[in-house]
Structure formats: C-alpha cells, structure tokens
Amino acid sequence: MNRLQATRFAISPAAIGCACIAAALVVLRSTAAQAVDKTPKPGATVTLDRVVAVVNRQPILESDIEEEMQLSVLDPGRIAQEKMTERQALEQLISRALIQQQIRQEDLPATEPKPEMIASRIQEIRTKLPVCVRANCKTDAGWQAFLAQHELTQQEFEDYLRHRMEILSFIEMRFRQGIRISPEEVKTYYEGTLLPQYPVGETPPPLQQVSSRIEEILLQQRVNQLFDDWLANLRKQGQVEVLDPTLETAATSNDKGASKE
C-alpha cells in the first residue's frame, strides 16, 4: 500500500464508525424478532426476546444486538481480534434506525441496491475481506463454514449487506452532490499532508499524478463531516429510550454508530 492509499484509509472513518460514518460511515438493516430456542427446565420462565431500546417508537430487540455483534466480523474497519460490545452494537443499531427512518421519510427509492450490485459486493467480500481470505471464503465450502462459525445465515448476511449499501447510497445522494474541491485545496493537501510523509531522498509522485485521488480524499472528508453533523442533529431531535440500564449510555453517546465504508 502506498502512502497516499494509507493516508486515505487513515482519514476515512472506520465506518463506512460514519463513513461515520464510518462514515462515515456507516453496515445496515431492520431486524425482526427471533426467538432463542432453548429447552426450559420444568417450571422455569422462558424469555424468548425482549425490547432493550426504542427509537422513535421503533423497538430494538436483544436478538438485534446479538445479531449485530455476530455481523461485526464483516466490518472492514474493525480489527479481527476486537470483539464488539453490546453497547457498541446498540450504538450502531440506534444510528441505523434513525438513518433508515429518515430514508423512508424522504422517500428515496433510488437508494435500494440492485440484486447484481449485492451479488458483486458479496463476491468482493468473500475474496478480499481479510477475515474471509483467511477462512478461504472464495470456495462455497469455506464460505458456508465461515457463516456457521459466526452463527450467521446467508439471508442474514444479505439483509445486512442490502441495508448497508442502502445507507451508503443515501449518504452519497444526500451529502456528496454539490461539493466542489478547488485546485488550491488539492495543492495544500499535497504540500502539507502528503509530501511530509516521504523521507528525505525518496521522490514523491508529482501532483498531477495524485491530484484526482487527493480530491477524492478531501471530498470524503467533507461528506463525513456533513454526515456526522446531520446524524448528531437526528439524535437530538429524535426520541431514543434505552430500557436496559446496563446499556443506557448509548442513548446519549456522541459515537457515530453507522459505519461508512
């Protein structure tokens, strides 16, 4: 990876945490209640599922948190050995619920990804995501073993991916359009951020060669900032109630829970 690529990944939030954001930024899905199949002891009370939070009258279930933690293995911004906590999972679910509610409110059907786009993204994940490469997910047997290891089904994975892509498309449509990066901004980044990364004696690439990529980095930074501000405002205006006392800090956290890729 060259320095410019490294700079880009460093700047883009472990997102899509925003891109945000995670961002931006940003998976993403609406999960239905799923009962935990356990054989109860005689006379014992069995809880199939429970509501742990409510976002503008939309419930978030305990099973949603469990599934979010399982799906976190597919987040390219997360370290493989780092296990997502229940609070982090709830953070992402709250942010995601707010974003999806806004998508429905603005009635943007164009954000729905096409089947061929989903299929292409699945193939990319199976062949390029480091945790999948190590598990040999490019083969059907390796992929099925990977899903089983993380207690996921193919449908759960596709739903997660569909909603994640929907949110990324929404971010693109709502925040990216109209942003312009000037040649002066590109030059400033090149001279002030990129060039200092090269040691004395090593020749950096000329500005003309990397200007388009620098422009993309600056554009993503601008989108991430707009998205972060917008999401923070949604949290302030929305009604978020956490019913589980052990998770209640998620309701007021400033973390950006909708990852952006």
Side-chain angles (χ1 to χ4, degrees), residues 13 48 93 109 164 202-203 208 228-229:
L48 297 181
L93 289 167
R164 186 185 184 104
E202 184 174 344
T203 304
Q208 294 79 1
D228 287 349
D229 294 342

Side-chain angles (χ1 to χ4, degrees), residues 98-109:
L98 289 168
I99 296 169
Q100 290 178 318
Q101 289 168 7
Q102 194 67 22
I103 290 175
R104 291 193 293 270
Q105 181 177 326
E106 297 188 14
D107 192 21
L108 295 172

Side-chain angles (χ1 to χ4, degrees), residues 194-211:
L194 184 61
L195 291 185
Q197 297 182 45
Y198 287 83
V200 177
E202 184 174 344
T203 304
L207 175 59
Q208 294 79 1
Q209 182 177 323
V210 296
S211 60

Side-chain angles (χ1 to χ4, degrees), residues 37-82:
D37 184 15
K38 294 183 178 179
T39 303
K41 296 180 180 179
T45 300
V46 179
T47 301
L48 297 181
D49 209 343
R50 64 191 181 96
V51 176
V52 296
V54 180
V55 182
N56 295 330
R57 299 185 180 181
Q58 176 180 329
I60 294 177
L61 306 176
E62 186 174 42
S63 61
D64 294 336
I65 290 181
E66 294 171 356
E67 187 176 348
E68 186 72 15
M69 293 171 67
Q70 292 166 346
L71 286 164
S72 67
V73 69
L74 299 169
D75 185 348
R78 183 168 293 277
I79 301 173
Q81 294 78 14
E82 179 183 298

Side-chain angles (χ1 to χ4, degrees), residues 101-237:
Q101 289 168 7
Q102 194 67 22
I103 290 175
R104 291 193 293 270
Q105 181 177 326
E106 297 188 14
D107 192 21
L108 295 172
T111 60
E112 179 72 20
K114 297 180 180 179
E116 56 268 26
M117 295 171 60
I118 296 175
S120 175
R121 185 71 177 114
I122 290 175
Q123 185 62 24
E124 182 181 353
I125 289 174
R126 289 178 57 175
T127 57
K128 295 183 179 180
L129 191 69
V131 67
C132 284
V133 172
R134 291 192 293 269
N136 196 29
C137 292
K138 65 181 179 180
T139 67
D140 290 341
W143 176 238
Q144 293 304 319
F146 175 82
L147 292 176
Q149 177 187 353
H150 296 284
E151 300 180 358
L152 296 170
T153 66
Q154 180 71 24
Q155 188 61 53
E156 287 172 339
F157 169 71
E158 290 185 8
D159 288 345
Y160 156 83
L161 192 59
R162 180 179 299 105
H163 287 90
R164 186 185 184 104
M165 293 175 67
E166 180 184 35
I167 287 181
L168 290 175
S169 176
F170 170 76
I171 293 171
E172 179 83 7
M173 292 177 59
R174 199 181 197 285
F175 301 102
R176 192 181 182 102
Q177 294 181 4
I179 297 178
R180 296 291 182 268
I181 304 299
S182 68
E184 290 75 19
E185 290 176 291
V186 172
K187 183 178 180 182
T188 298
Y189 182 93
Y190 176 78
E191 296 176 347
T193 301
L194 184 61
L195 291 185
Q197 297 182 45
Y198 287 83
V200 177
E202 184 174 344
T203 304
L207 175 59
Q208 294 79 1
Q209 182 177 323
V210 296
S211 60
S212 61
R213 190 163 297 181
I214 290 176
E215 183 176 353
E216 178 65 26
I217 292 172
L218 295 174
L219 183 61
Q220 187 62 49
Q221 286 181 334
R222 196 81 57 82
V223 169
N224 289 344
Q225 184 58 56
L226 290 172
F227 176 81
D228 287 349
D229 294 342
W230 176 80
L231 183 57
N233 191 50
L234 276 186
R235 279 179 170 270
K236 292 178 182 178
Q237 295 180 354

